[in-house]
Amino acid sequence: MKIKRIEVYQADLPYSGGVYRLSGGREYTSFDATFTRVITDTGLDGWGESTPFGGTYIAAHAKGGRAGIDDIAPAVLGMDPRQTTRVYDAMDGALLGHNHAKAGIDIACWDIFGKAANMPVCDLLGGRIDTPVQMISSIGGDTPEAMRANVAAHRAKGFMGHSIKIGASEADGGPMLDAERIQACLADRQSGEWFLADANNGLTVEHALRMLALLPDGLDFVLEAPCPSWVETQSLRARCKIPLLMDELIQNDADIIQAISQNTCDGVGVKITKQGGLTPSLRQMHLCHAAGLVASIQDTTGSDISFAAILHLAQATPRNILRCALDTRSMVSQTTAQFHAPITNGGATAPTDAGLGIIPDMDVMGTPIAVYEV
Ligand SMILES: [Mg+2]
C-alpha cells in the first residue's frame, strides 16, 4: 500500500461560546482548521485535523502549518501509511519541528492503518480499555459566581473534571480575583471531582505566589501551566505545595524528559496538534506512564476529527494516569464529520468501526486548497 495523493482542506471553526478569553487579554472567536486527506493506491483513504488555538497560544500558526505541509507532503508520497513511525521519520527529514504541520498527515495514516487492519485506532494504539473516558469541562475566566454556576451546569451533565481559567490582569483584580475564582469553583465540590486551575502560561511567579497565599489550606486542586518559561515554572515549583501540570511548555519528547529529569511537574497536557499527531502523543503518553506523571489527552481546539483522535488515544491510556480528555466538539459550532461518540454522564467511548470511525462532511470541506500527487 502506498500514499498516492494528499489533499488539504481549510475551514473556520467559530467558538461556540462567543469570545474565548485566556490570560494576558488573549481573545478568540474562531479557530483556523486544516484537514488532511491521505489517499492510497488501494483506494483506502484517511483523514486528520490540525487546529492550533490561534497564533498567540503557542508558536504554532495555521497558515504556517499549511506551508509546512507543502514541504512535508512530497516526502511521504509513495510511502506505506501503515508504517506510521517511518512516515514520521520522513516528515522530520523534510522539516524540523513544526509539529502542527505534521499532525494531520500522521492522524490520517493511523486512520488508514485501522481501516486496512479492520480495527479501531484505539486497538492499534495499545488496546481499548473498557471504561468510558471522562471529559473535562472548560470554565472560561469570568466573575467567581458565574464560574461557579458554569461548574454546576457541567456537574449536572455528569462532568467530574473541571478546568478553571485564571490569569486576571492587575486591573481586573489580579491574584485576588484568581483566588476568589478558585474558591468559588471549588465551593460545591463533590466526592470524586477533580479541579485544575489553568493559567495558560499567563502568570508571573509573583502573581502565582500571591494568589496561592490568599487561598485557605486544604483546597484540592492542581495548578496548570502557571508561567511562560521553564525557569519561572521551576522557581514556582520549588516554592509551591500545589501539584503542577505542564501544558504549553511540553511540545516534544525532550520537553517531557526535561520535566521528568528536573522534577518540574506532576502531569502533562498531551494535545495532539501541539505534540504533532498520534505517533508522538502515544510515545509521550508512554513516557508519562513510565515516570508516573498523569496525562490529560486533549487538543488545541478542533472539531469532530480532532476529537476522534483524542478519544482513541484516551481509550488506550492506562486509567491510573489518564486524568481526562477534552471534547473539542463542544468548543466549536461547526460540525465537520459524522463521529458517533455521544457524551453520557460526562464520558464517551471510542466507536468500534475500523480506523477513527469518522465520515467527513464534504460540503463543509469544500474543494481542496492544495493537492500533492505521485
Ligand atoms: Mg491547559
Side-chain angles (χ1 to χ4, degrees), residues 57 163 165 196 198 200 224-225 247-248 271 298:
Y57 176 70
S163 172
K165 295 296 181 187
L196 61 83
D198 189 354
N200 295 102
E224 176 165 323
D247 185 349
E248 285 89 332
K271 290 187 163 142
Q298 310 187 347

Side-chain angles (χ1 to χ4, degrees), residues 266-320:
D266 306 294
V268 166
V270 174
K271 290 187 163 142
I272 293 174
T273 297
K274 169 167 69 86
Q275 320 309 134
L278 280 168
T279 299
S281 295
L282 176 67
R283 190 169 58 238
Q284 290 163 25
M285 180 272 280
H286 284 156
L287 288 170
C288 288
H289 190 209
L293 300 180
V294 297
S296 47
I297 308 296
Q298 310 187 347
D299 210 335
T300 46
T301 71
S303 63
D304 307 78
I305 299 174
S306 282
F307 181 61
I310 290 170
L311 190 55
H312 280 278
L313 179 59
Q315 198 76 55
T317 299
R319 291 300 184 265
N320 62 322

Side-chain angles (χ1 to χ4, degrees), residues 65-90:
R66 293 190 284 273
I69 292 171
D70 201 51
D71 281 357
I72 292 164
V76 305
L77 289 172
M79 296 190 74
D80 185 335
R82 297 167 299 182
Q83 297 187 334
T84 49
T85 305
R86 299 291 81 78
V87 171
Y88 217 96
D89 291 344

Side-chain angles (χ1 to χ4, degrees), residues 153-169:
H154 281 84
R155 177 179 294 126
K157 292 185 207 163
F159 282 74
M160 299 292 282
H162 304 281
S163 172
I164 309 159
K165 295 296 181 187
I166 58 168
S169 68

